[in-house]
């Protein structure tokens, strides 16, 4: 790999990151145009339904008054060759007279999967692939998993004190956050990426959350509540807003049969009640993730308490972990210790591709499960 190829592709990847939280369920893509060792255009996919990175890079080139003919385009994902919400990027690249295209990784989607690269080569454009491929696949890990397996990417997120407490002993006030304001703003970015957000019914009873991304930027994620006994308060914020933002209540078949009146009241509020089959050896979480995949949900953000978080670890469903650690030791003034719930795990959980970032006084730690890291980082 030439050093200059890596240099320009790293630029394209950094541009792509700007679209995260606005382009989902589409992938985040960046593009850089280079001619005569000079950058003549840059672009990224800014929002879902908008022009792709390649088109924005060509438009940027036009604004600078430079012809892209004979230039090299560096793009973090294979250019599309099909008509969707926007036209095929391959046709625009060919029409612009681009001489060479360097692609980080192939788009594994059924409508792509090398077809875009083939179309460019048929137009006598030189194409190289595999530059910064692992980084590109990690950037769009949720998209790649959904495209290759049909299963949603599961993110487990929580905030905790240094001594592992996830809440103050006195809950329900809504005023005593463990994490700081900057961390909470970052959580809303996670919510904008997700197709669904999940909590347990105890969180709803204790905190009465809205589970929406703020400020609102387009479509909101479906809010999901694990509620095996249909204990959700009928006057909670989730049900009050269910006709505006979807709400899904997951309960057992037995509970649904025994409480049809409650289920009907929930339905009248605009929420959906989904019953999981009570079969021996079948997990309600596996049932849920399969159902979400069928509904086209590519990312599930789990914001539950210690029991819910630990249950995903036990079922080996988690792909990514995001933990906000606040510089507080709550001691006896805290409750809901994540460390106590995780004491029941029989095996250690190691994280890979770990990143640490400061948000005010808080520290955010992110990492991938071994299974997710292996599936994404091993290039096809």
């Amino acid at each position: 790999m030439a050093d200059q190829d890596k240099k320009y592709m790293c630029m394209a990847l950094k541009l792509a990151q700007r679209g995260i939280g606005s382009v989902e369920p589409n992938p985040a893509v960046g593009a850089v145009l280079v001619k005569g060792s000079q950058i003549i255009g840059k672009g990224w996919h800014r929002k879902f339904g908008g022009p792709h990175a390649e088109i924005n890079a060509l438009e940027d080139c036009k604004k600078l008054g430079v012809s892209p003919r004979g230039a090299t385009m560096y793009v973090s994902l294979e250019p599309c060759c099909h008509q969707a919400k926007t036209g095929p990027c391959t046709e625009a690249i060919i029409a612009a007279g681009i001489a060479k295209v360097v692609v980080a990784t192939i788009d594994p989607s059924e409508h792509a999967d090398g077809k875009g690269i083939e179309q460019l080569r048929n137009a006598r454009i030189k194409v190289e692939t595999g530059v910064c491929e692992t980084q590109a696949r990690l950037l769009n890990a949720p998209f790649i998993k959904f495209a290759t397996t049909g299963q949603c990417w599961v993110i487990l997120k929580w905030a905790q004190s240094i001594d592992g407490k996830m809440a103050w002993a006195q809950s329900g006030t809504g005023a005593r956050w463990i994490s700081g304001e900057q961390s909470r703003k970052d959580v809303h970015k996670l919510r904008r990426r997700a197709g669904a957000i999940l909590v347990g019914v105890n969180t709803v009873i204790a905190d009465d959350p809205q589970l929406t991304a703020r400020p609102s930027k387009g479509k909101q994620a479906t809010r999901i509540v694990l509620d095996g006994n249909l204990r959700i308060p009928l006057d909670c914020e989730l049900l009050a807003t269910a006709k505006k933002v979807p709400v899904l209540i997951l309960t057992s078949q037995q509970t649904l049969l025994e409480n049809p009146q409650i289920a009907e009241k929930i339905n009248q509020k605009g929420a959906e009640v989904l019953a999981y089959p009570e079969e021996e050896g079948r997990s309600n979480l596996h049932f849920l993730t399969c159902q979400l995949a069928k509904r086209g949900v590519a990312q599930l953000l789990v914001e539950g308490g210690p029991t819910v978080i630990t249950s995903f670890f036990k079922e080996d469903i988690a792909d990514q972990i995001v933990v906000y650690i606040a510089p507080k030791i709550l001691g006896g003034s805290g409750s809901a210790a994540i460390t106590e719930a995780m004491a029941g795990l029989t095996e250690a959980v190691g994280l890979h591709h770990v990143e640490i970032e400061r948000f005010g006084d808080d520290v955010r730690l992110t990492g991938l499960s071994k299974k997710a890291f292996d599936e994404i980082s091993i290039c096809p």
Side-chain angles (χ1 to χ4, degrees):
M1 180 194 309
D3 289 341
Q4 66 175 7
D5 287 344
K6 185 175 181 180
K7 169 188 170 183
Y8 294 129
M9 189 60 76
C10 285
M11 289 182 183
L13 288 167
K14 287 183 179 179
L15 288 168
Q17 290 176 350
R18 298 187 187 186
I20 292 177
S22 300
V23 301
E24 288 79 7
N26 283 352
V29 184
V32 175
L33 278 167
V34 179
K35 187 175 182 180
S37 299
Q38 297 292 320
I39 296 174
I40 61 171
K42 296 186 290 185
W44 67 94
H45 186 25
R46 294 172 180 267
K47 64 178 181 178
F48 178 73
H52 290 182
E54 300 92 324
I55 305 302
N56 286 330
L58 289 170
E59 284 297 316
D60 187 45
C61 182
K62 186 184 297 184
K63 290 177 183 177
L64 293 173
V66 181
S67 171
R69 185 164 296 278
T72 297
M73 176 178 283
Y74 293 84
V75 60
S76 58
L77 187 71
E78 173 187 2
C80 67
C81 60
H82 66 290
Q83 179 68 47
K85 291 183 178 295
T86 59
C89 289
T90 50
E91 292 184 5
I93 292 170
I94 293 168
I98 301 299
K100 179 181 177 180
V101 178
V102 181
V103 178
T105 188
I106 291 174
D107 180 344
S109 304
E110 185 178 357
H111 56 253
D113 200 18
K115 298 182 182 70
I117 291 172
E118 181 182 8
Q119 189 176 100
L120 293 175
R121 284 174 173 161
N122 288 340
R124 298 184 179 180
I125 295 175
K126 185 177 180 180
V127 181
E128 292 185 7
T129 63
V131 177
C132 301
E133 183 166 12
T134 296
Q135 297 95 311
R137 288 174 61 83
L138 288 169
L139 176 68
N140 281 309
F143 170 79
I144 290 174
K145 179 181 179 180
F146 191 75
T148 55
T149 69
Q151 294 297 309
C152 63
W153 180 264
V154 178
I155 304 170
L156 305 185
K157 165 264 164 186
W158 71 89
Q160 67 170 67
S161 61
I162 292 174
D163 54 343
K165 304 296 178 63
M166 294 177 66
W168 296 85
Q170 183 181 359
S171 62
T173 64
R176 303 180 71 190
W177 299 91
I178 287 180
S179 57
E181 182 179 357
Q182 291 186 39
S183 292
R184 298 198 298 274
K185 286 182 178 179
D186 190 62
V187 170
H188 286 285
K189 291 182 181 179
L190 285 177
R191 289 181 176 180
R192 280 193 285 272
R193 291 173 54 186
I197 301 169
L198 179 146
V199 297
V201 69
N202 288 335
T203 295
V204 178
I205 293 172
D207 300 332
D208 195 17
Q210 293 184 23
L211 300 181
T212 53
R214 298 182 293 276
S216 177
K217 293 184 179 180
K219 185 179 179 182
Q220 292 278 4
T222 298
R223 284 103 37 103
I224 302 173
V225 181
L226 298 182
D227 188 3
N229 296 308
L230 288 182
R231 295 189 295 125
I232 187 169
L234 296 177
D235 60 349
C236 69
E237 283 289 332
L238 290 178
L239 295 183
T241 58
K243 292 182 179 179
K244 295 181 179 180
V245 182
V247 173
L248 176 66
I249 310 298
L250 184 68
T251 192
S252 69
Q253 286 184 339
Q254 186 64 33
T255 296
L256 188 59
L257 289 173
E258 293 175 353
N259 301 276
Q261 298 88 352
I262 296 178
E264 179 59 27
K265 289 180 180 178
I266 293 173
N267 287 331
Q268 289 174 357
K269 295 278 188 177
E272 177 186 357
V273 178
L274 178 64
Y276 59 85
E278 297 177 277
E279 301 174 8
E280 185 176 352
R282 185 178 177 87
S283 164
N284 62 332
L285 299 183
H286 279 284
F287 169 80
L288 174 63
T289 53
C290 287
Q291 288 294 313
L292 292 178
K294 291 178 182 178
R295 298 173 184 222
V297 174
Q299 291 193 60
L300 170 65
L301 175 62
V302 179
E303 293 194 23
T307 302
V308 171
I309 293 290
T310 303
S311 66
F312 276 86
F313 278 121
K314 287 181 177 179
E315 296 293 337
D316 194 23
I317 296 177
D319 293 298
Q320 184 177 12
I321 290 81
V322 180
V323 185
Y324 298 88
I325 304 173
K328 298 181 177 75
I329 299 174
L330 298 188
S333 65
S335 64
I338 186 72
T339 51
E340 294 177 6
M342 290 186 178
L345 295 176
T346 57
E347 296 183 5
V349 178
L351 299 185
H352 302 261
H353 189 57
V354 174
E355 296 179 337
I356 298 174
E357 188 171 349
R358 287 277 302 270
F359 287 89
D361 291 331
D362 298 344
V363 174
R364 185 192 70 182
L365 185 148
T366 63
L368 305 182
S369 68
K370 184 179 186 306
K371 180 175 67 174
F373 180 76
D374 287 347
E375 289 174 351
I376 293 300
S377 62
I378 298 176
C379 303

